[in-house]
């Protein structure tokens, strides 16, 4: 059994007597320690899925299990929210306190963690995102990437087992994006954190253990990056683009060149050099 | 355009007053305000002035910064003084009278009295905000108000609201700057025209500001929930406030000041005819 299990989960938003589909009939297993990238066009249900995972939303049909706990168990909801940390798009809107260490302490304080333990967690979380020297500073002068790393640290201070980044790189410049990706990958490798990274930058999906593509609330395709990007028709139908290297390789193939499926720029360069 | 108003008018320094506990400072400022209102004789202001000079020296805040706060209220001080001079009734020693206007020595003294009172009040409270960050003030207030939890006042929620307001004011100000620049680039004019025209010009700034503020509030609410806000009533505290010897010294000095004012009130009462009840 995976750390996350979804069984036939559907969720519809209801507003002014009209239903709009969030997700439909999702069944999914995510293994502990994996790095999952969730792709999908705007409105495809990615955020809805993220909110179903930490109990912000409860499934209309079906069940969501985190570590075997059903998110519908009301009295364990904070246990679930602690286990499943959610980071959002805009780092500015996730910070509560004007001093970085106070902001990191906010989550553990809410959970009633003893003070000595909070200090240890703040130290550890700042170190995990490589922001220790900013401990007693304010977030105002930080770059977007640094702010988002602080937002991640604030979630880490609650010691989650699953980290969900809901388009956490969408507002950042390329450097900030790289910083956040590097942080997420490191947490996954070194701390065995299960990471679900929601994005619409295809290039961020190439190193994933598993890629899931959502289209209108349903899973369009799911599997290794090679498998998923090996199905350009499905990617296209889901309203997405291929990673740049894969796209270029495909165009070359159409022109009659003998180029295999590639994901990374270096692989493309390699393959092109092999041509005669 | 970068204004770091997170720290309000906080003047960073490593002084005696800066190192005092915010709760002690808050209590002392309240006691000080009461003391200033207790003053019945102009002589007591000497005691208050000595106390204030000591406090300013102990805070290492430049005198200029302190006086800046007085400049802000100078108009009010002068206006109330003038009103007091002309509308004070019951004075006997007439200095000047013409038609229905009568200025008495008592009126002048009363006006001076009120002006000094206002100025001393402002200097005292300014010193608090100059030496304490808004964050520390919030912590201090939360701690002082914590007994109110017994009568179900949501003290902690209030503190979080304050803290979030402090956090977002600079962000929103920055946003106003950005929107205004964007509108100016499109030819908007915020500087010329009458009041109504200028207010109208601000409308295209306010609407996007409100939209963005609501969007932020939406996300912030999610972020608060994601951090398990209200998970347990047994919330712990990361920052602990600690009373120290400096706070004791502050209390003692203020006690001496109040005693001095009381003594002056008692001995000079009526002696020089300068005294006025509140
Ligand atoms: N609060 C809401 N009320 C009504 N409909 C919503 C709400 N949030 C999302 N939706 C709808 O649910 C669908 C999925 O949205 P979402 O999960 O936010 O997609 P994504 O994160 O992939 O952009 C969209 O069609 C969207 O319009
Ligand atoms: Mg979304």
């Amino acid at each position: 059994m995976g750390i996350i299990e979804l069984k036939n989960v559907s969720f519809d938003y209801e507003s002014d007597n009209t239903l709009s589909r969030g997700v439909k009939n999702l069944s999914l297993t995510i293994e502990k320690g994996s790095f999952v990238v969730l792709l999908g066009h705007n409105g495809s249900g990615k955020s809805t899925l993220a909110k179903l995972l930490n109990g912000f939303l409860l499934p209309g049909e079906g069940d969501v299990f985190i570590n075997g706990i059903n998110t519908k168990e009301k009295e364990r909801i904070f246990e679930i929210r602690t286990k499943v940390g959610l980071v959002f798009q805009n780092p500015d809107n996730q910070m509560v306190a004007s001093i970085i260490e106070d902001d990191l302490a906010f989550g553990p304080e809410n959970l009633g963690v003893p003070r000595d333990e909070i200090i240890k967690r703040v130290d550890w979380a700042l170190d995990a995102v490589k922001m220790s020297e900013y401990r007693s500073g304010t977030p105002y002068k930080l770059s977007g990437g640094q702010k988002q790393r602080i937002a991640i640290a604030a979630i880490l201070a609650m010691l989650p087992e699953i980290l969900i980044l809901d388009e956490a790189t969408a507002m950042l410049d390329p450097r900030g994006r790289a910083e956040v990706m590097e942080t997420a990958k490191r947490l996954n490798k070194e701390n065995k954190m299960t990471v679900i990274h929601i994005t619409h930058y295809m290039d961020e999906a190439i190193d994933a253990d598993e890629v899931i593509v959502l289209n209108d609330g349903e899973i369009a395709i799911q599997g290794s990056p090679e498998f998923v990007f090996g199905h350009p028709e499905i990617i296209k139908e889901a309203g997405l683009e291929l990673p740049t290297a894969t796209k270029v390789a495909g165009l070359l193939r159409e022109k009659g060149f003998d180029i295999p499926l590639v994901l990374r720029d270096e692989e493309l360069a390699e393959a092109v050099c092999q041509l005669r | 355009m970068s204004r770091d108003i997170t720290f309000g008018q906080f003047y960073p320094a490593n002084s005696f007053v800066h190192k005092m506990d915010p709760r002690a400072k808050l209590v002392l400022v309240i006691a000080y305000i009461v003391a200033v209102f207790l003053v019945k004789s102009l002589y007591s202001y000497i005691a208050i002035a000595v106390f204030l000079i000591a406090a300013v020296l102990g805070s290492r805040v430049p005198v200029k910064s302190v006086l800046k706060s007085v400049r802000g209220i100078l108009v009010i001080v002068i206006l109330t003084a003038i009103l007091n001079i002309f509308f004070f009734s019951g004075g006997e020693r007439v200095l000047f009278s013409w038609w229905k206007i009568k200025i008495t020595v008592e009126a002048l003294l009363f006006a001076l009295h009120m002006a000094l009172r206002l100025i001393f009040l402002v200097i005292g409270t300014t010193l608090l905000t100059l030496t304490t960050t808004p964050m520390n003030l919030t912590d201090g207030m939360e701690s002082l108000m914590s007994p109110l939890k017994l009568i179900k006042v949501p003290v902690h929620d209030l503190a979080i609201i304050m803290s979030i307001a402090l956090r977002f004011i600079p962000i929103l100000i920055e946003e106003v700057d950005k929107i205004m620049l964007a509108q100016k680039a499109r030819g908007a004019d915020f500087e010329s025209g009458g009041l109504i025209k200028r207010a109208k010009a601000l409308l295209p700034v306010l609407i996007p500001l409100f939209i963005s503020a609501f969007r932020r509030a939406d996300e912030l609410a999610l972020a608060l929930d994601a951090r398990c806000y209200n998970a347990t009533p047994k919330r712990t505290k990361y920052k602990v406030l600690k009373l120290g010897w400096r706070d004791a010294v502050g209390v003692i000095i203020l006690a001496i000041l109040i005693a001095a004012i009381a003594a002056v009130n008692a001995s000079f009462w009526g002696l020089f005819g300068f005294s006025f009840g509140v």
Side-chain angles (χ1 to χ4, degrees):
Chain A
M1 192 166 173
I3 192 167
I4 298 175
E5 294 274 348
L6 269 75
K7 297 222 164 86
N8 306 317
V9 172
S10 295
F11 182 88
D12 292 322
Y13 289 96
E14 203 181 329
S15 52
D16 308 330
N17 295 325
T18 56
L19 284 181
S20 59
R21 178 197 289 176
V23 294
K24 192 181 157 196
N25 207 16
L26 289 185
S27 290
L28 194 62
T29 300
I30 290 174
E31 296 301 332
K32 192 171 167 59
S34 54
F35 194 109
V36 177
V37 168
L38 186 57
L39 300 172
H41 62 81
N42 256 338
S44 60
K46 305 182 297 293
S47 298
T48 308
L49 176 56
K51 287 174 190 163
L52 282 163
L53 292 181
N54 84 335
F56 276 173
L57 301 175
L58 297 177
E61 279 164 46
D63 292 292
V64 177
F65 295 94
I66 306 295
N67 251 350
I69 309 169
N70 193 324
T71 55
K72 285 176 182 161
E73 286 185 45
K74 273 207 184 72
E75 58 289 348
R76 299 180 81 173
I77 189 69
F78 286 113
E79 196 181 328
I80 288 168
R81 289 207 186 144
T82 312
K83 285 217 167 85
V84 186
L86 208 49
V87 177
F88 300 95
Q89 200 174 72
N90 188 342
D92 272 337
N93 299 345
Q94 299 172 64
M95 282 181 224
V96 195
S98 305
I99 303 287
I100 285 168
E101 57 180 330
D102 294 357
D103 190 61
L104 262 65
F106 182 71
E109 282 179 333
N110 288 333
L111 294 167
V113 174
R115 182 164 181 272
D116 303 340
E117 168 76 14
I118 299 183
I119 296 172
K120 279 191 210 139
R121 289 189 186 192
V122 170
D123 286 343
W124 171 75
L126 279 172
D127 186 51
V129 300
K130 304 246 182 296
M131 291 289 289
S132 295
E133 71 260 44
Y134 297 93
R135 185 183 188 122
S136 54
T138 67
Y140 301 107
K141 300 265 152 61
L142 299 182
S143 72
Q146 289 174 320
K147 283 186 197 171
Q148 198 60 289
R149 274 148 70 201
I150 294 296
I152 293 174
I155 291 297
L156 291 182
M158 304 199 307
L159 307 183
E161 289 175 31
I162 303 161
L163 181 67
I164 303 181
L165 307 174
D166 188 354
E167 302 203 28
T169 54
M171 287 185 68
L172 306 179
D173 56 8
R175 206 175 118 200
R177 265 169 55 198
E179 283 173 26
V180 168
M181 284 309 289
E182 190 264 331
T183 306
K185 282 178 186 165
R186 188 157 32 79
L187 285 167
N188 175 251
K189 287 246 153 50
E190 290 176 13
N191 302 79
K192 309 273 174 284
M193 183 91 60
T194 309
V195 177
I196 301 179
H197 177 50
I198 302 177
T199 183
H200 42 226
Y201 293 109
M202 297 304 129
D203 295 331
E204 293 176 358
I206 342 184
D207 291 329
D209 296 323
E210 175 145 342
V211 177
I212 300 170
V213 178
L214 282 186
N215 188 16
D216 295 332
E218 293 175 274
I219 296 181
I221 186 171
Q222 171 185 10
S224 69
E226 288 76 13
F227 175 75
V228 169
F229 294 124
H231 291 82
E233 17 18 279
I234 301 179
I235 299 289
K236 202 163 194 182
E237 203 187 290
L240 299 174
E241 301 248 329
L242 290 168
T244 322
T246 317
K247 199 160 51 182
V248 173
L251 290 172
L252 286 171
R253 221 175 298 131
E254 270 173 35
K255 294 271 182 243
F257 291 99
D258 177 27
I259 287 196
L261 175 79
V262 296
L263 300 178
R264 296 170 185 79
D265 296 353
E266 312 86 67
E267 292 171 353
L268 176 64
E270 187 102 342
V272 169
C273 291
Q274 305 273 313
L275 287 175
R276 285 191 301 117
Chain B
M1 282 263 183
S2 77
R3 286 169 277 185
D4 198 351
I5 71 157
T6 343
F7 291 108
Q9 48 173 351
F10 180 69
Y11 181 87
N14 201 11
S15 77
F16 182 95
V17 182
H18 281 81
K19 282 186 192 148
M20 285 172 75
D21 187 297
R23 290 169 300 176
K25 280 192 265 189
L26 275 164
V27 171
L28 286 178
V29 163
I30 293 167
Y32 167 82
I33 292 172
V34 173
V36 171
F37 271 104
L38 281 180
V39 167
K40 291 198 172 120
S41 153
L42 287 173
Y43 288 103
S44 300
Y45 286 117
I46 296 168
I48 292 185
V50 169
F51 171 80
L52 269 186
I53 290 168
V56 171
L57 288 179
S59 71
R60 303 224 198 114
V61 174
V63 179
K64 218 173 83 190
S65 309
V66 180
L67 291 182
K68 221 157 85 189
S69 66
V70 177
R71 207 172 58 203
I73 59 145
L74 212 56
V75 177
I76 300 175
V77 171
I78 292 172
L79 211 72
T80 43
I82 291 172
L83 288 176
N84 277 329
I85 290 171
F86 287 107
F87 292 103
F88 185 83
S89 57
E92 282 169 4
R93 284 176 285 169
V94 179
L95 271 182
F96 170 88
S97 91
W98 174 75
W99 190 45
K100 279 189 180 163
I101 298 168
K102 191 173 78 175
I103 295 178
T104 62
V105 177
E106 286 83 354
L108 279 180
L109 286 172
F110 183 72
L112 179 65
H113 191 82
M114 292 312 273
L116 284 175
R117 189 175 271 177
L118 263 177
I119 289 170
F120 281 130
L121 280 181
V122 168
I123 292 179
T125 44
T126 304
L127 208 54
L128 174 70
T129 52
L130 279 170
T131 59
T132 323
T133 62
M135 286 74 95
N136 270 335
L137 269 183
T138 309
D139 285 343
M141 279 185 215
E142 181 183 2
S143 169
L144 284 179
M145 295 198 314
S146 56
L148 295 180
K149 280 179 196 159
L150 290 178
I151 55 165
K152 299 256 175 338
V153 177
V155 175
H156 175 63
D157 291 312
L158 291 175
I160 290 288
I161 292 170
M162 284 260 290
S163 148
I164 288 175
L166 286 173
R167 160 91 185 98
F168 278 85
I169 288 168
I171 292 181
L172 291 181
I173 286 182
E174 199 181 311
E175 198 143 302
V176 170
D177 283 346
K178 264 193 217 148
I179 298 172
M180 279 177 97
L181 273 180
Q183 306 284 24
K184 270 186 196 162
R186 290 172 178 76
D189 175 11
F190 299 111
E191 271 104 33
S192 66
L195 199 64
I196 293 178
K197 185 163 176 263
R198 274 202 245 177
K200 266 191 184 154
L202 276 179
L203 212 61
V205 175
L206 288 180
I207 291 170
L209 181 69
F210 270 104
I211 291 173
S212 131
F214 281 118
R215 189 172 312 133
R216 283 180 191 283
D218 242 16
E219 237 181 78
L220 179 68
L222 280 181
L224 282 177
D225 274 337
R227 310 268 287 278
C228 295
Y229 185 55
N230 274 345
T232 161
K234 286 189 237 99
R235 199 175 187 276
T236 44
K237 235 87 187 97
Y238 171 65
K239 277 242 162 95
V240 285
L241 300 172
K242 245 196 178 133
L243 291 169
W245 62 271
R246 293 184 184 84
D247 306 303
V249 171
V251 170
I252 292 168
I253 293 177
L254 198 80
I256 294 172
L257 173 72
I258 292 179
I261 292 172
V264 172
N265 276 350
S267 59
F268 284 91
W269 176 246
L271 209 60
F272 295 89
F274 290 166
S275 4
F276 301 97
V278 183

